[in-house]
Amino acid sequence: MKILFATPECAPYVKTGGLGDVSAALPAMLAQLGHDVHLLMPAYRGMKVSGEIGDGVDLPPYSHWPAAQLVPVKIANGVTLLLLACPALYQRPGGPYVDASGRDYLDNAMRFGLLSRVAAQLGTVHSPLRGWTADVVHANDWPTGLAPLYLAQSRMIAPHEPTAAGILTIHNLAFQGVFPMGEADALGIPHPWRGMEGVEFWGDLSMLKAGIQFADAITTVSPTYAREIQTAEHGVGFDGILRARASRLRGILNGIDRKLWDPSQDALLPQRFSRKELEGKAQCKAVLQQRVGLAADKAAPLFAVVSRLTAQKGIDIVLDALPALVKAGGQLVVLGQGVPELQAALAEAARKHPRQVAVTLGFDEGLAHLIEAGADAFLMPSRFEPCGLNQMYSQAYGTPPIVAPVGGLLDSVTDATADPAHGSGFVMKSCDAAGLGDALARALAAWKQPQQWRRIQSNGMARDFGWEDSALQYIDVYRAAALLANGGTASELTAT
């Protein structure tokens, strides 16, 4: 199968969150399974790419669209990287979505409209790549949300020409790509599709809604999140649209790169360890305590947070529960950045309890790995979490996670209180300080029973969160979507 994976970011080139990790791992696994995978993303300023660079393909200007170029690069994982080069749109000093001061680029509609348009072209007989046309175009989040609309438009204009199926994955429904409806002319959106049954969202244009409305199949990153986003509580205004499209919606849990996140092979650790030989984990804890300035106390339970420091991630809940954690003799290490008020509150807690609370603002890949390895337990009290990856990393590193009862956290952590034989972490009963306090108390009680704690660690380390099973599920979705694009039924898509 010829698969085009269209994304605004991909690790290690450009990454702002989980989408960057998924864009690196899923296409590589699809290629490993024998499929012909091309990954399309913008050529941002400062990107460093290694591989066999092919001849660029010119994309002439058309209507409101500027001239651009497609540059193919054969990279080591078997995927062909397609860099969309358009210096006027992508060669900028800021990030992929925001300028150097953190403000959204004013022309983001055109920047990601072009990415979507080129993605759709690669799925038609007018593909700019000679001899290669996608069977499916896999769009990701709002920046590629217009690709399914453009594919549907191609089908409408030339119904007898083969056109790829359009798949949209929602990684986080909260980011909806909303722009003034006036952008619709430049983006080439047909007038009949500018209403409520098309791209219109409270009078504006939503690129994410376009993807939801016109995709042949919709996926999201965990089965529980697929159900949650169809409710008013978690639907962010899109729940009705998603309920209407429920027959084409499926939740597939993300995986992790087990080569990168394996404590027995992790070159970033001072001492490696495994499920059968856990001794090295104690050394990682000692090194972590020393590095961040915590008391060198192996008997103190060390809790960890590696996260964006926002209310969505429940950082305020952690702060509310912190006095009880400190009183119980626990330690807390935090790595991340985010809302200034939460950063300041965490820094103040570290000032008050310098030997029990350590906070590092920013991101450090080596420290993140050391925290996963050296901490005793990991905190993720998110108010919503489409999938989450750190709870999977934590289990792989023998660091039982304490998680909120939402999204992918519920799908990937088995509560040790409810299921002592198979438990791999602790699930909060509610997304608030009381829920976290209760889960912390249960975790501390288990921590004081070494045999019980070791079983929880072992259960988590035995789980396989690799990408192969998820990739096979995506292939099923691709095949079903191809049938849908040719007049079939959606029955194969609804299993969650």
Side-chain angles (χ1 to χ4, degrees), residues 82-98:
L82 295 176
L83 294 176
L84 178 58
C86 183
L89 295 182
Y90 305 125
Q91 291 289 305
R92 298 180 181 181
Y97 317 110
V98 299

Side-chain angles (χ1 to χ4, degrees), residues 105-414:
Y105 291 116
L106 295 177
D107 59 350
N108 268 346
M110 184 59 67
R111 296 174 74 238
F112 295 109
L114 179 64
L115 180 64
S116 297
R117 178 176 179 267
V118 173
Q121 281 184 314
L122 287 161
T124 72
V125 295
H126 306 290
S127 171
L129 290 184
R130 276 191 176 181
W132 196 90
T133 301
D135 299 314
V136 296
V137 172
H138 186 163
N140 290 273
D141 274 350
W142 72 263
T144 52
L146 287 179
L149 181 149
Y150 292 140
L151 286 167
Q153 187 178 23
S154 294
R155 252 181 238 128
M156 180 180 67
I157 294 170
H160 302 297
E161 292 181 354
T163 302
I167 292 90
L168 173 73
T169 294
I170 301 168
H171 296 265
N172 190 333
L173 191 66
F175 301 106
Q176 300 172 340
V178 176
F179 300 95
M181 186 59 76
E183 300 280 5
D185 286 338
L187 294 169
I189 297 173
H191 283 275
W193 292 355
R194 300 183 190 184
M196 287 185 62
E197 299 303 313
V199 303
E200 188 270 335
F201 186 63
W202 294 100
D204 288 321
L205 179 163
S206 166
M207 289 188 175
L208 185 67
K209 184 180 177 186
I212 293 171
Q213 292 285 57
F214 291 95
D216 299 297
I218 307 159
T219 70
T220 192
V221 291
S222 71
T224 295
Y225 192 60
R227 294 188 290 271
E228 288 176 342
I229 59 178
Q230 297 179 64
T231 69
E233 182 181 1
H234 294 284
V236 203
F238 277 28
D239 51 295
I241 304 163
L242 288 160
R243 286 194 299 272
R245 300 280 287 165
S247 65
R248 303 200 178 198
L249 174 63
R250 180 170 177 176
I252 301 174
L253 190 68
N254 281 341
I256 63 174
D257 186 337
R258 289 306 302 264
K259 292 181 180 177
L260 185 63
W261 292 95
D262 179 353
S264 70
Q265 302 181 51
D266 194 335
L268 296 175
L269 301 184
Q271 181 65 46
R272 299 173 188 177
F273 58 91
S274 67
R275 182 186 178 209
K276 293 183 179 179
E277 296 181 3
L278 262 178
E279 292 77 13
K281 187 170 174 64
Q283 185 174 337
C284 290
K285 179 177 179 178
V287 172
L288 174 60
Q289 288 172 322
Q290 181 182 29
R291 176 167 172 179
V292 299
L294 294 173
D297 184 358
K298 64 181 181 181
L302 174 52
F303 298 86
V305 171
V306 178
S307 174
R308 284 185 290 111
L309 304 180
T310 65
Q312 182 231 313
K313 297 295 185 178
I315 303 304
D316 56 318
I317 297 174
V318 173
L319 286 163
D320 288 342
L322 187 55
L325 186 154
V326 169
K327 186 177 181 181
Q331 297 178 333
L332 175 68
V333 57
V334 177
L335 172 64
Q337 60 187 7
V339 176
E341 292 80 5
L342 293 173
Q343 293 184 168
L346 287 165
E348 175 62 16
R351 187 193 64 78
K352 287 177 62 177
H353 308 285
R355 303 297 279 167
Q356 286 182 273
V357 180
V359 178
T360 300
L361 298 177
F363 186 73
D364 181 318
E365 186 75 17
L367 181 56
H369 280 246
L370 180 60
I371 288 172
E372 290 288 8
D376 294 306
F378 197 93
L379 306 182
M380 292 185 72
S382 306
R383 287 183 167 85
F384 68 92
E385 193 67 66
C387 177
L389 296 176
N390 279 103
Q391 80 279 11
M392 300 183 200
Y393 302 154
S394 299
Q395 289 171 84
Y397 281 61
T399 307
I402 297 171
V403 302
V406 296
L409 304 181
L410 267 182
D411 293 327
S412 57
V413 178
T414 302

